[in-house]
Amino acid sequence: MVDTSIEAWTLLSLAYRDIDDGDYQNALFLAERLYAIDKKREHYMFLYAKCLYHNLDYMACYSVLRSFKFVPCLNLFAETCIKLSNSSQYDEEEKHRLLNEGVDALLLALSSKDLPQKVHWGDELTSASIRHHLPSKASLCNLLADLYIKLDNIKAAAKYLWMCLESNPYKITAYNKLCDIAPDSIDFNTTKLPKQVFNCFEEPLVDLERNRDHYLSSAVPNLNASDIQFSSKIEEELGSVEWNKYSMPHVQYSDNISAEQLRILVNLRPKLIDDDIYEITRNDSQSELERIKNSAIQSINQEIKREKEINARLTRDGLYSIKADDSIIYPSSLIQLSQSIDNDNKDEKTDNDNVEIDLENVKKSGPPRLATSSRVQPEDDYLPKKEKETYSNIIDQDSMQNYFFPQSNNRVSVSTEARKYIVQGMNKVMQLLCIMAHGYMYKSFYYCNLAVLELHQLDDCQYDSPRVLCMLGKAYYDTTDYKTARLYFKRAFLIAPWFCNEASTYSTCLWYLDLSTELNILAYKLRHNPCHQYEAYIATGNWSKMNEYNSAMQYFKKAIESDPSRSYAYMLAGYENIDRGNCLNAKSYFAKCMVANKRCYRGWFGMASCFKDLHLYQQAKTLLWEAFRLHPRHPVVLSTLAEVLYKLQEYDKAEIVVRKSIKIKTNNTEEDEVLLEKIMERSRDMLGNEDSSFIC
């Protein structure tokens, strides 16, 4: 039996419980934390892959399991090969290869010495009693909240998410959802912050007993009952039966930016404003705010409809000339580049490596973190080693095993010392989730510095994981620090190319930085992932736009078709129409973006940009105030709002906003400084006119 820490066993048990309840997202989150502890432990790997499989991310499951010979992993790998072979993204040759890989995996599993050679019916016939239970209250509340979010009833969703966390604080995805919907429903000053939700248990107050009411199956075997009966006349009636012929009983690309170099690079930046860092307030009630938003979106849609009708009457016979072409043809350069991607041993010198880093002075210090005091360590052993705590000499090991492996009578006997260390392991998991929740909350409210500092508390294994790296990349992206964000995204994609949660943002970041080769590679990799075609279309669209192809809009439309519920592709399609000078279509896409996610500042800002370009500054101002409310620290939103206020001659407000924008930006403040000077000049002119008027 392989030794497993209490905290690892806690994560293992909680994840399996979530799988049984159907809460696959929370199970995946917990399994990721378990996988980060030890990426080579077969049982951890299997649970992580199983959660990916249940989340329908078959390509990720396939990528994770490829190198493992553990019998459960081989079985799940074969199932994944079948699922992938059903995808229309693959040609017949690729499907044949996948099916052959599945066959090889199962043949290897059947030849394994670990596979029992006989059936142990004791295991087969007791599986119902071991795993049978009702869904937990927390899982039911979490699922109910998802339904209310889909119904746009944010207050009801928040109510049940809090109820979920009150019942089970290990449901961290419920807290993440609260952060996502917070701008329209939650005042975090009057509700609970992560440290109040994910607090440690007090050992004497923890109930470690099992529920004996429904742990066993509700139906107990009875020797005197029989549910299956057979007719004794079957042979006599066989001749009357009419019979007929139908009756029958990846590849990773090489990279020279390491995790330890990213740790040195960050160096506590960018320096954001701290005037209201700890005052996260949301005073608007959900019902009134949603009513206002719905009214605004409805008015915009009506205006778009009227404009389309007017334009239709101006065209010949009132008809638009639309060329339908749903076929996607990938640019030849995107395909040709693949020939050089698979060579992992070849050093690349491309435009991807334009970030200046003194590699000679970078000390090996583990995953990317904030700059700390340098520690000289051996070249071949630079990662800090964890000291395993052993309690075999302190507690009764049999007492510990009896707790985690229940006997047939379902009675639990656990010593006082064992109970102490069980609760200690539970609390370590709780502390880990608390740090993750704090990081997600600060990222959701666009406090980049606080998110970086909070996640800095994680150990190297947890920090150097794709979810954490993508959270940090997204935090920097939302401050327009694209260079730093790109390195975090790049590191995450390097160590886990199957983790595509922020691949769309990553591709847009590369578009801003004009890194064509790296974006080409990303698009190529995503194109061969049938489980993330939404991200693949967006990445290819951004690459086409960068290289001045005319197919970017086509890819954005394909992304929308693959998942109409997500707002990001609508936003990109809107900006693409702005670049083409088609303001009407741009407004239509931004309106759909706002409907898909009313709490996405990009949709409101995009719509405001359309009105600003049309010199309709009053309408633009209303929309920009909402974008500013949703993201009060985005320098582009602030500078645009200041410009609109300047056009409306609201110089006092414009001055405050533009100064805030300058304070946030770390570079490229020339335009804001010019705007500030113009505002100050107009203010002085107005003040002079008022004084002259007074004298007269």
Side-chain angles (χ1 to χ4, degrees):
M1 183 179 294
V2 181
D3 291 337
T4 303
S5 65
I6 299 298
E7 50 266 29
W9 192 270
T10 300
L11 286 167
L12 195 72
S13 302
L14 291 170
Y16 269 117
R17 178 63 193 246
D18 283 337
I19 289 176
D20 290 343
D21 287 354
D23 193 353
Y24 300 132
Q25 284 290 335
N26 205 74
L28 177 60
F29 196 105
L30 297 175
E32 286 174 349
R33 299 305 100 209
L34 183 69
Y35 173 66
I37 292 175
D38 188 349
K39 295 180 176 63
K40 296 182 180 180
R41 184 73 65 89
E42 293 172 332
H43 290 84
Y44 301 174
M45 174 68 72
F46 173 70
L47 178 60
Y48 178 40
K50 189 178 183 71
C51 292
L52 291 169
Y53 182 88
H54 282 298
N55 280 280
L56 308 183
D57 199 345
Y58 302 124
M59 192 63 193
C61 183
Y62 171 87
S63 302
V64 168
L65 294 175
R66 291 189 70 177
S67 59
F68 278 80
K69 309 306 179 185
F70 186 44
V71 172
C73 290
L74 293 170
N75 177 64
L76 185 58
F77 179 79
E79 293 183 13
T80 305
C81 289
I82 294 176
K83 293 293 186 182
L84 287 174
S85 68
N86 295 331
S87 173
S88 60
Q89 300 295 328
Y90 292 130
D91 56 23
E92 291 301 319
E93 183 179 352
E94 283 292 314
K95 292 179 180 179
H96 193 69
R97 179 186 62 80
L98 286 168
L99 293 174
N100 278 329
E101 287 185 359
V103 169
D104 293 340
L106 291 179
L107 290 175
L108 182 60
L110 289 171
S111 64
S112 174
K113 296 180 180 180
D114 297 331
L115 190 68
Q117 298 303 311
K118 67 175 184 178
V119 177
H120 294 271
W121 290 106
D123 295 335
E124 304 294 322
L125 299 180
T126 56
S127 59
S129 62
I130 291 176
R131 298 301 296 277
H132 180 86
H133 63 258
L134 296 174
S136 66
K137 178 182 177 182
S139 295
L140 294 173
C141 290
N142 204 7
L143 181 59
L144 182 57
D146 287 338
L147 294 172
Y148 276 124
I149 290 175
K150 291 289 186 181
L151 292 170
D152 211 24
N153 190 341
I154 305 303
K155 274 192 171 180
K159 171 186 173 182
Y160 284 101
L161 288 172
W162 286 122
M163 193 180 298
C164 168
L165 289 166
E166 184 179 359
S167 176
N168 182 359
Y170 289 106
K171 293 282 192 181
I172 186 171
T173 53
Y175 198 87
N176 291 349
K177 294 171 192 173
L178 283 167
C179 294
D180 292 336
I181 65 175
D184 288 353
S185 64
I186 300 170
D187 182 0
F188 272 83
N189 287 329
T190 59
T191 53
K192 296 181 179 180
L193 295 173
K195 62 182 178 181
Q196 297 168 301
V197 175
F198 303 95
N199 48 13
C200 293
F201 296 104
E202 296 182 16
E203 188 268 326
L205 303 179
V206 178
D207 183 7
L208 293 180
E209 295 295 325
R210 294 191 179 90
N211 184 353
R212 300 178 183 179
D213 293 335
H214 66 264
Y215 178 80
L216 295 176
S217 175
S218 58
V220 181
N222 188 343
L223 296 177
N224 298 320
S226 178
D227 293 328
I228 301 177
Q229 304 293 333
F230 299 96
S231 173
S232 59
K233 300 180 180 180
I234 185 67
E235 293 182 0
E236 300 176 4
E237 298 177 355
L238 190 60
S240 63
V241 179
E242 294 184 3
W243 296 89
N244 58 58
K245 63 180 180 179
Y246 299 107
S247 302
M248 55 180 66
H250 129 58
V251 179
Q252 292 177 292
Y253 63 94
S254 61
D255 198 310
N256 58 358
I257 299 296
S258 64
E260 56 268 24
Q261 293 164 359
L262 289 178
R263 185 200 297 254
I264 302 299
L265 175 70
V266 175
N267 197 22
L268 292 174
R269 61 180 251 235
K271 299 296 184 183
L272 303 183
I273 59 172
D274 55 1
D275 55 345
D276 59 346
I277 282 182
Y278 292 100
E279 298 179 2
I280 305 176
T281 58
R282 296 290 184 267
N283 298 322
D284 300 288
S285 62
Q286 183 270 339
S287 57
E288 179 65 17
L289 186 59
E290 287 300 315
R291 186 188 64 79
I292 294 173
K293 285 189 175 185
N294 291 336
S295 177
I297 294 173
Q298 185 178 4
S299 299
I300 290 170
N301 284 330
Q302 290 176 352
E303 181 178 346
I304 292 172
K305 183 178 179 181
R306 285 195 299 269
E307 290 185 23
K308 285 184 176 180
E309 291 175 351
I310 294 172
N311 289 349
R313 287 196 295 269
L314 295 176
T315 59
R316 182 179 180 182
D317 299 327
L319 298 176
Y320 287 101
S321 176
I322 301 176
K323 181 180 180 181
D325 184 8
D326 294 334
S327 61
I328 287 291
I329 302 176
Y330 285 89
S332 58
S333 54
L334 182 63
I335 301 173
Q336 292 169 358
L337 183 63
S338 65
Q339 298 174 0
S340 62
I341 293 174
D342 298 333
N343 189 357
D344 291 336
N345 298 323
K346 189 175 292 185
D347 292 331
E348 296 181 9
K349 294 183 178 181
T350 64
D351 57 353
N352 298 342
D353 304 314
N354 60 353
V355 178
E356 296 181 0
I357 303 176
D358 187 359
L359 299 178
E360 297 298 328
N361 296 328
V362 174
K363 301 298 182 182
K364 291 185 176 181
S365 53
R369 289 195 182 271
L370 305 178
T372 56
S373 58
S374 60
R375 295 175 296 176
V376 179
Q377 299 185 9
E379 289 294 318
D380 57 345
D381 191 21
Y382 62 90
L383 288 177
K385 302 297 183 183
K386 291 185 179 180
E387 296 184 359
K388 292 188 176 180
E389 300 180 44
T390 58
Y391 308 120
S392 57
N393 298 327
I394 303 175
I395 65 174
D396 180 8
Q397 194 67 25
D398 291 336
S399 175
M400 188 74 71
Q401 293 183 10
N402 288 338
Y403 182 78
F404 288 110
F405 298 96
Q407 304 301 316
S408 59
N409 59 7
N410 197 36
R411 295 186 179 277
V412 180
S413 60
V414 56
S415 65
T416 304
E417 289 297 322
R419 176 188 177 88
K420 174 183 176 181
Y421 290 110
I422 289 172
V423 176
Q424 180 180 330
M426 295 170 62
N427 286 338
K428 283 188 177 180
V429 175
M430 191 65 72
Q431 291 169 349
L432 168 64
L433 298 186
C434 185
I435 293 173
M436 296 287 290
H438 267 107
Y440 192 91
M441 183 189 72
Y442 291 137
K443 187 265 299 182
S444 299
F445 287 107
Y446 309 109
Y447 290 108
C448 180
N449 272 348
L450 293 180
V452 171
L453 292 171
E454 187 68 29
L455 294 174
H456 179 64
Q457 300 177 61
L458 297 173
D459 63 30
D460 289 349
C461 295
Q462 298 292 332
Y463 191 92
D464 195 22
S465 61
R467 185 176 293 272
V468 174
L469 292 172
C470 283
M471 286 172 61
L472 291 167
K474 184 64 165 58
Y476 281 108
Y477 175 85
D478 283 321
T479 64
T480 67
D481 187 355
Y482 302 123
K483 286 186 177 181
T484 306
R486 168 247 178 181
L487 292 178
Y488 277 96
F489 288 138
K490 188 175 183 179
R491 172 67 182 174
F493 196 72
L494 174 68
I495 64 175
W498 58 83
F499 190 88
C500 302
N501 289 21
E502 294 295 344
S504 301
T505 310
Y506 180 24
S507 69
T508 306
C509 189
L510 295 175
W511 178 82
Y512 276 118
L513 296 173
D514 198 25
L515 299 177
S516 178
T517 303
E518 187 174 340
L519 181 53
N520 196 323
I521 294 173
L522 177 65
Y524 175 80
K525 296 292 186 182
L526 292 174
R527 176 198 167 195
H528 287 81
N529 188 336
C531 301
H532 290 281
Q533 287 304 291
Y534 182 88
E535 291 82 0
Y537 289 133
I538 287 179
T540 309
N542 279 328
W543 183 84
S544 300
K545 186 175 181 179
M546 180 187 297
N547 291 275
E548 298 182 353
Y549 287 93
N550 295 323
S551 55
M553 190 65 202
Q554 189 179 11
Y555 289 111
F556 295 149
K557 286 181 178 179
K558 279 293 182 182
I560 292 170
E561 291 174 6
S562 65
D563 192 349
S565 65
R566 297 165 71 174
S567 61
Y568 201 79
Y570 290 119
M571 180 269 295
L572 292 176
Y575 281 114
E576 181 67 13
N577 275 282
I578 287 180
D579 293 341
R580 295 182 177 187
N582 193 335
C583 191
L584 178 58
N585 279 352
K587 288 196 291 184
S588 178
Y589 280 109
F590 285 128
K592 293 175 182 177
C593 176
M594 294 157 65
V595 171
N597 185 0
K598 295 188 179 75
R599 287 158 291 282
C600 175
Y601 72 91
R602 299 184 188 91
W604 296 88
F605 178 76
M607 185 67 74
S609 299
C610 292
F611 284 106
K612 174 177 169 291
D613 292 345
L614 295 172
H615 304 289
L616 300 174
Y617 298 115
Q618 191 60 47
Q619 294 91 324
K621 170 190 168 183
T622 303
L623 297 164
L624 282 170
W625 275 120
E626 176 59 18
F628 168 72
R629 186 187 74 86
L630 294 170
H631 189 346
R633 281 164 290 281
H634 195 288
V636 179
V637 173
L638 289 169
S639 59
T640 306
L641 177 59
E643 184 179 353
V644 169
L645 291 172
Y646 170 76
K647 294 292 185 179
L648 293 174
Q649 300 182 2
E650 298 181 25
Y651 302 123
D652 292 341
K653 293 180 181 179
E655 180 182 350
I656 295 173
V657 173
V658 75
R659 287 186 183 279
K660 193 171 186 179
S661 176
I662 294 173
K663 192 175 182 180
I664 290 176
K665 286 185 177 179
T666 56
N667 50 29
N668 297 327
T669 61
E670 292 81 4
E671 292 184 3
D672 286 350
E673 291 171 353
V674 170
L675 177 60
L676 177 61
E677 182 61 32
K678 291 167 63 178
I679 293 171
M680 297 295 293
E681 183 179 353
R682 288 295 181 91
S683 297
R684 289 192 295 267
D685 291 343
M686 288 187 62
L687 183 61
N689 292 335
E690 290 177 0
D691 292 342
S692 300
S693 166
F694 177 76
I695 294 174
C696 293

